[in-house]
């Protein structure tokens, strides 16, 4: 997509009893299902976060581009889909998982120069609850159920969006916009500036 407008939080609705070593296999299995059964070109989510706080690129190209996922019908173009690996309807999201979801969203919003405290006008491409062409005013971080007929991202994670993730956004985004380190050299010359 040419721009990023917002983030949509999901859960994968898969099992919660997995080990760190099993995560790559689970992701590969999900990718195969999304490609072979759904006919998509890759995993639907841009990023998947495991319960240990590991962040995985889902859809290829999501690290350095605004790759269009297949995670939120009618709202894929211009959004980044970040999914918790597991089922947050039957179980909770771990603190490490919620923190990593927030950090991933903040990184993407900061890179796009988005103020996370603002809302965005988004024109629906047509979802199960919002007809195509309808313009909706949305926060920059939403749950999948805000735009579609689904329980996703599960009760535990959905409540964390307003209680933890959105409130953390301003500080997280600001931290990602601030350069880190110490200036060792700053020198000006004819038509140039050197900073290291």
């Amino acid at each position: 997509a040419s721009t990023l407008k917002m983030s949509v939080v999901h859960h994968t609705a898969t099992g919660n009893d997995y080990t760190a070593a099993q995560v790559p296999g689970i992701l590969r299995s999900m990718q195969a299902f999304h490609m072979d059964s759904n006919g998509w070109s890759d995993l639907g989510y841009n990023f998947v976060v495991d319960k240990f706080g590991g962040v995985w690129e889902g859809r290829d190209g999501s690290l350095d581009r605004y790759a269009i996922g297949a995670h939120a019908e009618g709202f894929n173009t211009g959004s980044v889909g970040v999914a918790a690996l597991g089922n947050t309807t039957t179980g909770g999201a771990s603190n490490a998982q919620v923190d990593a979801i927030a950090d991933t969203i903040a990184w993407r919003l900061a890179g796009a120069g988005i103020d996370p405290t603002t809302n965005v006008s988004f024109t629906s491409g047509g979802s199960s609850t919002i007809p195509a062409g309808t313009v909706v005013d949305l926060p920059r971080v939403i749950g999948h159920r805000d735009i579609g007929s689904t329980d996703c991202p599960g009760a535990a994670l959905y409540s964390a969006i307003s209680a933890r993730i959105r409130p953390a956004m301003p500080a997280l985004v600001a931290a990602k916009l601030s350069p880190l380190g110490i200036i060792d050299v700053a020198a000006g010359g004819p038509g140039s500036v050197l900073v290291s």
Side-chain angles (χ1 to χ4, degrees):
S2 59
T3 61
L4 180 67
K5 297 180 180 180
M6 67 180 186
S7 176
V8 183
V9 178
H10 302 267
H11 70 160
T12 61
T14 54
N16 295 324
D17 295 326
Y18 56 85
T19 66
Q22 291 173 319
V23 172
I26 295 169
L27 294 175
R28 178 62 187 105
S29 172
M30 287 172 41
Q31 181 191 38
F33 175 76
H34 285 187
M35 293 173 70
D36 299 340
S37 296
N38 294 346
W40 301 339
S41 61
D42 200 350
L43 194 66
Y45 310 109
N46 298 99
F47 298 96
V48 180
V49 180
D50 65 43
K51 67 182 179 182
F52 309 104
V55 180
W56 303 80
E57 180 184 34
R59 183 153 290 228
D60 185 45
S62 295
L63 287 173
D64 58 359
R65 297 187 307 270
Y66 303 134
I68 300 170
H71 57 92
E73 180 184 24
F75 292 84
N76 288 314
T77 302
S79 72
V80 59
V82 182
L85 185 61
N87 190 328
T88 60
T89 297
T90 60
S94 71
N95 285 333
Q97 194 169 43
V98 172
D99 290 346
I101 289 169
D103 197 56
T104 302
I105 293 169
W107 167 68
R108 292 309 283 157
L109 295 181
I114 293 173
D115 177 351
T117 65
T118 62
N119 281 13
V120 62
S121 293
F122 204 110
T123 303
S124 172
S127 75
S128 56
T129 58
I130 304 172
T134 303
V135 178
V136 289
D137 186 53
L138 297 166
R140 297 294 184 156
V141 181
I142 63 170
H144 187 191
R145 67 173 69 175
D146 293 323
I147 52 173
S149 180
T150 178
D151 289 334
C152 180
L157 187 52
Y158 187 72
S159 66
I161 293 171
S162 58
R164 292 182 54 195
I165 296 173
R166 278 192 205 123
M169 283 297 107
L172 288 172
V173 169
K176 293 181 184 333
L177 293 173
S178 301
L180 300 175
I182 298 170
I183 295 176
D184 293 320
V185 177
S192 69
V193 176
L194 168 68
V195 179
S196 65

